[in-house]
Amino acid sequence: MSSALTTHQAVAATTDLVNPGFETGNLNGWTPTGTAFTGAVTSDAGWGWGCCFNQQGTYHLWGYKGGSDAAVGTLTSDAFTLSGTGMVSLLVSGGQDLNNLYVALVAADGTVLQKTTGTNDEAYRRVTWDARDRIGQQLRIKVVDQATGGWGHINLDDVRTGLD
């Protein structure tokens, strides 16, 4: 009797999203409106009065750096086709205001499918959305900052789409 050895090849997370972790050091692949995200891509590991963001890679989007808590605007990714398992994962932090300060997964027509906000903390936490019903569709990631008071900023890094 012989035994068969089964091996599984590890598959890295894939994405069709351009510049999903801002590792270009700029907003390449993303379209801003307003001033909230102007100059917000940074390699800062801490925020000066504390530490640490715990970002993936070198760069990330720190909304406060883009114009403190007073600036408002949006940041929308180029469209991507959801593939793989249909799971979407990202790192988010910053202010907590689900109505005015959030990161969303949006359909091609702009319909918000999923959204999350910060927890009034600068340290990133991983959020995962199940979008299996959208596999093969064109989607976007949209960051919204319409909050101007304390904690009126949001941060984003390491967006993973179509996780295998």
Side-chain angles (χ1 to χ4, degrees):
M1 179 179 247
S2 66
S3 63
L5 176 64
T6 303
T7 60
H8 297 281
Q9 182 177 7
V11 178
T14 60
T15 184
D16 290 329
L17 186 63
V18 175
N19 200 15
F22 306 98
E23 291 304 310
T24 60
N26 58 35
L27 294 176
N28 181 44
W30 297 80
T31 302
T33 66
T35 59
F37 304 107
T38 303
V41 175
T42 182
S43 61
D44 293 351
W47 48 90
W49 57 93
C51 187
C52 294
F53 288 109
N54 299 318
Q55 76 263 28
Q56 291 292 312
T58 302
Y59 293 96
H60 62 108
L61 183 77
W62 180 23
Y64 188 85
K65 186 160 188 120
S68 72
D69 287 333
V72 296
T74 65
L75 185 65
T76 307
S77 74
D78 289 349
F80 62 92
T81 302
L82 187 62
S83 61
T85 65
M87 303 304 280
V88 177
S89 170
L90 51 91
L91 294 176
V92 66
S93 65
Q96 183 175 17
D97 182 343
L98 196 55
N99 294 319
N100 299 300
L101 193 64
Y102 58 88
V103 180
L105 178 66
V106 298
D109 67 1
T111 302
V112 173
L113 306 172
Q114 302 271 355
K115 69 180 180 176
T116 190
T117 189
T119 60
N120 290 343
D121 190 350
E122 299 290 5
Y124 284 111
R125 78 182 198 295
R126 173 85 42 202
V127 173
T128 302
W129 296 318
D130 183 344
R132 286 179 283 190
D133 60 335
R134 300 294 177 157
I135 291 174
Q137 294 182 19
Q138 291 278 293
L139 304 173
R140 295 179 191 271
I141 300 295
K142 184 172 185 177
V143 186
V144 175
D145 181 347
Q146 296 300 318
T148 58
W151 284 105
H153 67 278
I154 193 150
N155 312 324
L156 177 67
D157 192 28
D158 196 38
V159 180
R160 301 176 185 183
T161 64
L163 303 175
D164 291 329

